[in-house]
Amino acid sequence: MSNQVRARGLIIAAPSSGSGKTLVTLSLLSLLKARGVKVVGCKAGPDYIDPEFHAAATGLDCFNLDIWAMRQASLGNLLSHQAALADLVIVEGVMGLFDGVPGKGGRDNGSSAQLARHLGLPILLVVNAKGQGATAGAVLEGLMRHDPALNFAGVIFNNVGGGVHREILADAAATAGIKVLGYLPRVAALKMPERHLGLVQAREHEGLDDFFAAARDAFIDHLDLDGIVEAAGSITVGDAPLKPLLPPLGQRIAVADDAAFAFAYPFHLAAWAKAGAEIIPFSPLANETPRADADAIYLPGGYPELHAGLLAGNATFMDGLRRAAARNALIYGECGGYMTLGAGMVDAAGARHAMAGLLPVETSFAARKLHLGYRQATLLDAAPFGAAGGQFRGHEFHYASIVSEGAGPALFQATDSRGRDLGPVGRRQGSVMGSFMHLIDRVAD
């Protein structure tokens, strides 16, 4: 089968974080699905929380598209996979339109703008109009002039007041030369709760269906859905199957999956399954143990620090990890998973809870310190996901800190996005290994 255009797509971006990108994206996904449009979401950058909301709105997995951390072939393969599932792909951008890797400006800083330019997709801007009128025109003109290579599909104004405010915004957009595709009123009831790593997870919302219904009711008369679909750009879908960005960790992979361990990228799990691996979910919070015949166990990040006492008391789960280590099954932990494999974890109240004790690591959430940024990591010794010297790109985002790391070989040598040396990171002990990084892609095949 030759390449052919099967779908359309656009990127939702904004002048800054807090403009309403996520609310607009989720509302559009839900409204379009309700209208009968086959729509699927993608998320720019390394976010693990917003994609769960996309999936809840569409019923389809949301894949990340990370222009800094992913190889070009990976980006194309993931987008092609998503486009083959739907008529329209909506990509939610990250931060402000031109915001990317700190300290690196220009066209190649990992921003939503760079992603849009690379994928050739038009940009639908979301502008928070609260507290501004005609000035919105200057903001729009500045965004559009900053990079003439970008294609702008239109603008949605968020937090619009009455009719006079709408008229002023319409004039501002006309002066800037951009089409208005929506004027969204202020709806305080649609504010989404947050915690220290972002939005409260979709799986923890009891009334998520009610939220989507309320968003549809609030915005259906204020969005030009036909104009938005028409403004999307075409996506060429190839016939290449979904390919793993990282080799599968094993043939039968037990994956921790609950509110404490929710940060596994769907594109990894889907690609591993496509490659023939069996993905076996289990819940540490429910005191479930990894299946005994699993040859690999994956503990992704999440919020184990909020459930440290419960996890410490879940003997079936902890003993299952120890038995797996004793039979030399691979056990790999990222961020919260790494903390759980350690000797102990201190919670926000300062209480220490014994963890699995499979890695010589003590961590604490009591004195919060932000650790955030892209990482490039080199494997110091062979692992199931690569040979010694293999290079990977990933991301780190947590408030917990390492209290102590005992003796033992490190897993990676790491640098940050500016190339600054971060030294050896992570630990490995026998078949057990992990670090605070969430791996996204290899640097090269």
Side-chain angles (χ1 to χ4, degrees):
M1 181 180 68
S2 60
N3 288 353
Q4 56 183 303
V5 175
R6 286 188 183 170
R8 301 171 67 81
L10 54 80
I11 291 182
I12 295 179
S16 67
S17 295
S19 298
K21 292 191 302 293
T22 299
L23 178 59
V24 169
T25 300
L26 297 179
S27 300
L28 281 176
L29 291 172
S30 185
L31 280 165
L32 289 167
K33 183 186 179 187
R35 180 179 272 207
V37 177
K38 292 176 64 178
V39 62
V40 68
C42 289
K43 173 64 183 178
D47 189 278
Y48 349 88
I49 296 176
D50 290 353
E52 277 198 354
F53 286 92
H54 288 218
T58 66
L60 297 170
D61 279 343
C62 169
F63 283 2
N64 296 72
L65 300 174
D66 195 312
I67 191 68
W68 189 88
M70 291 178 180
R71 294 165 291 162
Q72 290 190 12
S74 300
L75 283 171
N77 184 246
L78 293 177
L79 179 62
S80 181
H81 175 274
Q82 294 296 84
L85 301 175
D87 300 318
L88 180 66
V89 180
I90 294 182
V91 184
E92 181 184 351
V94 60
M95 300 185 290
L97 175 59
F98 297 103
D99 299 326
V101 175
K104 185 176 182 181
R107 294 166 57 89
D108 299 317
N109 67 341
S111 64
S112 299
Q114 185 189 0
L115 182 65
R117 194 168 51 246
H118 176 77
L119 299 178
L121 293 180
I123 295 166
L124 176 57
L125 287 171
V126 176
V127 172
N128 183 0
K130 183 179 181 181
Q132 65 176 323
T135 300
V139 173
L140 290 168
E141 286 189 50
L143 291 171
M144 295 169 69
R145 289 178 180 175
H146 189 73
D147 186 347
L150 297 176
N151 174 22
F152 290 88
V155 60
I156 293 173
F157 289 113
N158 191 25
N159 287 317
V160 178
V164 173
H165 191 199
R166 176 172 173 152
E167 291 175 4
I168 293 170
L169 294 171
D171 290 342
T175 300
I178 190 170
K179 185 175 182 179
V180 181
L181 294 171
Y183 298 91
L184 302 186
R186 301 166 189 164
V187 185
L190 292 177
K191 183 174 176 58
M192 304 174 76
E194 300 185 26
R195 60 160 67 107
H196 58 283
L197 296 181
L199 297 176
V200 173
Q201 299 176 96
R203 66 179 71 202
E204 297 180 72
H205 280 268
E206 294 182 358
L208 197 54
D209 289 340
D210 293 336
F211 170 85
F212 286 127
R216 291 194 298 270
D217 290 343
F219 296 148
I220 190 169
D221 295 328
H222 302 280
L223 287 166
D224 181 359
L225 294 179
D226 290 333
I228 290 169
V229 173
E230 190 175 314
S234 60
I235 298 173
T236 301
V237 180
D239 54 6
L242 185 63
K243 298 178 181 178
L245 279 67
L246 303 174
L249 299 178
Q251 182 60 43
R252 292 178 300 279
I253 310 171
V255 179
D257 183 11
D258 55 29
F261 301 95
F263 293 171
Y265 286 120
F267 60 84
H268 282 326
L269 302 184
W272 290 345
K274 188 72 174 178
E278 182 182 2
I279 306 300
I280 311 164
F282 72 99
S283 171
L285 286 181
N287 202 19
E288 295 176 355
T289 187
R291 211 168 76 183
D293 64 346
D295 56 350
I297 298 168
Y298 176 33
L299 302 183
Y303 291 99
E305 65 270 22
L306 302 183
H307 308 277
L310 177 60
L311 290 171
N314 283 355
T316 300
F317 161 60
M318 291 294 185
D319 289 344
L321 290 180
R322 296 175 187 124
R323 286 194 302 271
R327 60 181 170 83
N328 290 320
L330 169 72
I331 305 178
Y332 176 58
E334 291 184 327
C335 202
Y338 180 53
M339 295 165 66
T340 305
L341 293 174
M345 182 191 306
V346 178
D347 65 19
R352 182 188 182 276
H353 304 274
M355 292 289 108
L358 298 175
L359 291 175
V361 182
E362 293 272 348
T363 57
S364 174
F365 187 60
R368 301 187 190 185
K369 179 181 178 181
L370 176 61
H371 304 264
L372 173 65
Y374 282 116
R375 305 288 185 253
Q376 183 153 321
T378 302
L379 263 176
L380 294 176
D381 201 354
F385 45 85
Q391 293 189 318
F392 303 84
R393 283 190 166 185
H395 190 257
E396 192 171 339
F397 183 21
H398 57 93
Y399 284 86
S401 296
I402 294 172
V403 175
S404 64
E405 280 183 307
L411 184 58
F412 298 108
Q413 183 77 23
T415 61
D416 68 11
S417 59
R418 305 186 199 187
R420 295 181 298 195
D421 185 19
L422 300 177
V425 299
R427 283 291 184 271
R428 60 186 304 160
Q429 193 159 287
S431 63
V432 183
M433 59 194 71
S435 79
F436 267 113
M437 287 184 294
H438 296 259
L439 295 185
I440 297 174
D441 199 358
R442 293 165 284 174
V443 172
D445 288 316

